[in-house]
Amino acid sequence: MQAVARSLLHVPVFGWFLKDALYGLPDAKSYFALNLLAFFAGLTYLFGYPFFIACLLAATGVALTTLVLLTATHLLSKKR
């Protein structure tokens, strides 16, 4: 998991913003969130409604996976 996180820091532009948000000034986190929101809005404007729906479908998959992992870890800890 740390290898994936470290590899995101090496992506040219996104990595610079992420590194600044993690290790920079305290207001850099809000600028990073605003940049992500602007990027999402730009892609929605460029690709339209299908992009928005695809992002929402991906978010539901992530939410369902998170719920399953949260409940399954409790189940697995009882077996040990």
Side-chain angles (χ1 to χ4, degrees):
M1 192 66 158
Q2 282 186 335
V4 174
R6 286 187 180 267
S7 64
L8 281 176
L9 292 176
H10 294 293
V11 175
V13 176
F14 181 74
W16 299 334
F17 287 140
L18 186 61
K19 195 181 298 183
D20 188 35
L22 291 175
Y23 306 117
L25 297 174
D27 60 343
K29 290 178 178 47
S30 60
Y31 292 136
F32 180 72
L34 287 174
N35 280 330
L36 281 181
L37 184 67
F39 184 69
F40 180 76
L43 286 177
T44 303
Y45 179 75
L46 183 65
F47 294 113
Y49 194 63
F51 172 75
F52 185 69
I53 294 296
C55 287
L56 291 179
L57 286 173
T60 56
V62 169
L64 182 63
T65 303
T66 303
L67 285 173
V68 168
L69 286 176
L70 286 174
T71 57
T73 53
H74 182 66
L75 179 66
L76 292 174
S77 65
K78 282 186 176 179
K79 285 186 177 182
R80 290 184 191 174

